Amino acid sequence: MVMRRSIVRSIILAAVLSTSGAAVLPHGHTPALMHAAQQAALADPDPLTSSSDRFFRLAHVYTFELNIDAADFARMAPKNGGGRGMGGFGGAEPGGSGYTKVPAQLRFDGRDWGTIAIRYKGNSSYRGARSDLKRSIKLDFNAGARHRRFFGMSRLNLNNNAFDASQMRETLAYDVFRRAGVPAPRTAFARVFITVPGQYQREYAGVFTVVEQIDQAFFRTRWKHKVGVLLKPEGLSGLPDLGGDWNSYAESYSSKIAARAGDAQRFMAFVHFADHSSDKEFAAHIGDYLDVDEFLRFLAVEVVTVNSDSPLAMNHNYYLTVRPGSGKVVWVPWDMNMAFGGFRVGEVDLSLYHASAPGMFPLADRVLSVPAM
């Protein structure tokens, strides 16, 4: 228990230092040189020409202003509640969000950007929004001028931090994942203002966490390559073997891209092996299909951040891909707004050795049953 508390204290201290801008001076760097470097880094970057590395600055708060036509604003809210797969969006198309995408005009940090497309996003965060204006929003920069990029990205997420008075859960949790060597989104903060003619005039919606989208740009930034498979299962129990037809997987596992044949075959082989191999075969060869070290780090951080709104207890909030080069399946975390014990009371002492609810995460159970792992 003492070691656990020490780990948690170290995580919080590291996160606070990184978000506050505190740093140890590198060897040979004087305060004057560091100040000059910091001033250069803080110069306002151009979103048309700058990379995502320049955007994700934790010590800076951006300003996003959205101007939405009144008729389009009225179409954004679904008629039958909200939250795909959780009581809303009956009959929504497979893999779809259930939310209507509409055009909007964006002004970013005082600069007119032009037309983008926006839609609401989220399940409980949508229903738990404190107002119509404080709902989570996905921004799509492809609208108006295809292939136009915002800091090299085509999409971003403005998350409303519903149920999180600290406004910090997602930022801290993703930071811990990245420090643990797990590919995880980067974050920033933004003040959001919304104009709807006749209803709102530059109305302050609040502070949002800006979360990096998990897409091809995400993987090119980290691995220098696109991926051939990208899946985001929702409500899928375990990793069911659906046979040798990729179309069945694309629908049930919610494929986000057009899969490359080799990567699709590789993923189906992984699922078949995970579901049907003997315990001896599994222990000897799971590492041929799964990046086991990455998976264990993913699992450990889900536990240490007490994020049970995840595969630990719910069948959602993760992505799956096949890493280029290795051909191994990698797990990517998503939607950390309930981390640090925000989902259910009484889950603050999860176990690294029995990480998930009984029967909820069969792959974790099999991996953790191998003594060497």
Side-chain angles (χ1 to χ4, degrees), residues 96-320:
S97 71
Y99 294 112
T100 300
K101 187 182 290 188
V102 303
Q105 299 299 310
L106 171 65
R107 186 173 174 83
F108 169 73
D109 271 3
R111 306 180 189 181
D112 290 324
W113 172 266
T115 301
I116 65 171
I118 66 172
R119 66 166 175 83
Y120 292 134
K121 63 180 293 290
N123 291 317
S124 59
S125 62
Y126 174 87
R127 296 191 302 274
R130 292 187 288 277
S131 71
D132 287 348
L133 299 184
K134 193 75 199 280
R135 286 175 172 156
S136 297
I137 299 172
K138 187 178 291 289
L139 310 179
D140 185 342
F141 301 99
N142 270 325
R146 192 165 179 79
H147 304 305
R148 193 183 192 199
R149 294 293 180 264
F150 181 86
F151 289 92
M153 300 174 286
S154 60
R155 289 178 292 174
L156 271 177
N157 303 278
L158 300 179
N159 287 357
N160 65 355
N161 300 312
F163 318 112
D164 179 14
S166 75
Q167 311 283 304
M168 291 291 290
R169 282 180 180 153
E170 290 204 287
T171 291
L172 294 178
Y174 283 133
D175 185 64
V176 178
F177 272 111
R178 293 193 304 273
R179 289 168 185 264
V182 177
R186 294 169 292 179
T187 63
F189 291 101
R191 299 179 304 159
V192 177
F193 297 84
I194 294 179
T195 294
V196 179
Q199 299 180 52
Y200 304 107
Q201 180 59 43
R202 201 176 182 272
E203 189 80 10
Y204 179 53
V207 172
F208 287 66
T209 301
V210 189
V211 178
E212 186 176 13
Q213 179 66 30
I214 297 176
D215 55 12
Q216 294 290 20
F218 175 92
F219 294 107
R220 281 197 305 269
T221 298
R222 287 153 179 80
W223 296 342
K224 311 304 180 186
H225 292 284
K226 292 182 178 181
V227 295
V229 163
L230 184 59
L231 307 166
K232 187 177 182 290
E234 181 78 28
L236 195 64
S237 181
L239 297 170
D241 182 359
L242 303 177
D245 182 359
W246 179 252
N247 291 327
S248 299
Y249 289 84
E251 180 174 338
S252 296
Y253 281 77
S254 299
S255 178
K256 297 302 178 183
I257 62 174
R260 289 198 293 257
D263 293 283
Q265 288 294 331
R266 186 66 178 161
F267 182 81
M268 290 188 291
F270 157 69
V271 169
H272 182 82
F273 178 83
D275 284 358
H276 302 296
S277 58
S278 67
D279 290 344
K280 183 177 180 179
E281 290 171 332
F282 184 89
H285 296 291
I286 184 59
D288 298 341
Y289 299 91
L290 174 71
D291 186 334
V292 174
D293 182 72
E294 190 274 344
F295 178 73
L296 288 171
R297 290 167 181 264
F298 167 87
L299 194 61
V301 178
E302 293 280 23
V303 171
V304 81
T305 58
V306 196
N307 185 41
S308 57
D309 188 21
S310 71
L312 301 187
M314 301 288 288
N315 297 313
H316 68 171
N317 288 342
Y318 64 95
Y319 282 82
L320 297 170

